[in-house]
Amino acid sequence: MIRSLKAELVKLFGYSTFWVVIAMHALLFLMVLLIANNATMNLNGVETNVLLSKPYTWGTVAWLASWFNLILAILFIIYVGNDFLFGTFRRSLLDGFSRNQLFGAKLSMLTIFAIYVVVLVSLAAFIATPVLKSTSSLFVSYKYVLVLFVQVIGYLTFAMLFVVLTRNVSLSIILYLLYFALIEPIIRLFLPDKIAAYMPVKIISNLTPMPDFLGIMAKQFSLDQQNVSDSTLNAIRGLNDAPTLIHDVGFAIIYIILFAAVSYYIFRKRDF
């Protein structure tokens, strides 16, 4: 396994597209974080910069980082798909690697991608968010960054399923994006709300919402309800009646295991 992982790292780090996409991902996230840190808007008496104050900092940073998960998913599709396209899997098998080693190396690289996101988010937040420069209660709500780790793995295992299934980079990217933006949302329209809430994209993408800001708004409105209609207040309260974080993470992990298991089964049966 170590030998196959080293081979994957050498291959990935020597791939110029990887560095271009990773740099774009990091720069976009940093740019959005800096804008969010310096821009201030007033929404019904609530300043948006409260999003980056304690104890909301890590939840907000994780939410901002989640905007760019699709970039990493597309990169991962290209990375795995190239092994099908250029016959790398076949050559690796001839070089003595087993299918288990090859698939295990892909899972390891997938995990490394997720670790990269956690490191990027943590370092960027420390540098760009003044409130974290104070050492008191530094890691309050850091759990949201750990949830982001699970979310990234969810995005990437789902991406791996598409590329293993189709063995075509372009088709995998198109189907993956269509499923996120069109196919599942349409399917959810025809399902009862209780069932639609458990669809994979719904569960995984909702791991990093904006619950803290909605909670602040609800509290603010509760203190000053004379300026807000009852329908607005009830709508905001309703948005906060989401399933618990542990509940969502649990179902996301189930989907991750399912995606990985199906991908492994297909990978084992594929003729390279």
Side-chain angles (χ1 to χ4, degrees), residues 16-247:
S16 59
T17 301
F18 165 76
W19 293 109
V20 171
V21 176
I22 284 293
M24 180 178 67
H25 172 269
L27 288 173
L28 285 173
F29 168 68
L30 289 172
M31 183 172 59
V32 168
L33 180 59
L34 288 171
I35 291 172
N37 196 45
N38 291 284
T40 301
M41 293 186 295
N42 188 297
L43 300 177
N44 289 316
V46 181
E47 298 289 343
T48 55
N49 58 6
V50 75
L51 286 169
L52 290 170
S53 65
K54 293 176 184 177
Y56 311 108
T57 311
W58 291 114
T60 301
V61 171
W63 171 65
L64 292 174
S66 71
W67 296 2
F68 307 105
N69 284 339
L70 284 176
I71 294 177
L72 293 178
I74 291 172
L75 174 61
F76 196 74
I77 287 174
I78 295 171
Y79 158 62
V80 177
N82 280 345
D83 284 342
F84 289 108
L85 179 63
F86 298 116
T88 310
F89 281 133
R90 181 184 296 275
R91 288 199 299 270
S92 296
L93 290 173
L94 293 175
D95 288 339
F97 292 103
S98 68
R99 289 179 183 251
N100 287 346
Q101 288 176 320
L102 295 177
F103 189 80
K106 295 301 182 189
L107 290 181
S108 298
M109 294 303 300
L110 180 152
T111 305
I112 290 173
F113 272 57
I115 292 172
Y116 148 75
V117 173
V118 171
V119 173
L120 171 68
V121 167
S122 300
L123 292 178
F126 283 133
I127 295 170
T129 310
V131 71
L132 289 179
K133 293 180 180 178
S134 169
T135 57
S136 64
S137 304
L138 189 64
F139 289 100
V140 172
S141 297
Y142 190 76
K143 63 184 178 183
Y144 292 105
V145 177
L146 302 181
V147 170
L148 176 65
F149 175 83
V150 176
Q151 186 184 57
V152 173
I153 291 181
Y155 271 75
L156 298 186
T157 51
F158 198 32
M160 183 168 63
L161 176 59
F162 276 88
V163 72
V164 170
L165 186 63
T166 66
R167 294 190 294 180
N168 183 291
V169 173
S170 300
L171 182 60
S172 296
I173 292 173
I174 292 171
L175 290 176
Y176 185 78
L177 295 178
L178 280 177
Y179 187 86
F180 263 81
L182 193 63
I183 297 173
E184 184 175 303
I186 291 176
I187 293 174
R188 291 202 302 262
L189 290 176
F190 296 95
L191 296 175
D193 291 342
K194 290 184 178 180
I195 296 177
Y198 290 93
M199 294 291 287
V201 169
K202 183 72 171 177
I203 284 286
I204 295 172
S205 62
N206 280 355
L207 287 176
T208 53
M210 283 197 319
D212 292 319
F213 187 53
L214 294 173
I216 294 169
M217 291 178 68
K219 290 177 183 177
Q220 183 69 26
F221 292 150
S222 295
L223 295 174
D224 191 20
Q225 291 188 31
Q226 64 271 21
N227 295 328
V228 183
S229 67
D230 291 338
S231 60
T232 301
L233 182 58
N234 290 334
I236 292 174
R237 283 173 174 163
L239 287 171
N240 286 283
D241 292 334
T244 64
L245 190 62
I246 294 176
H247 173 275

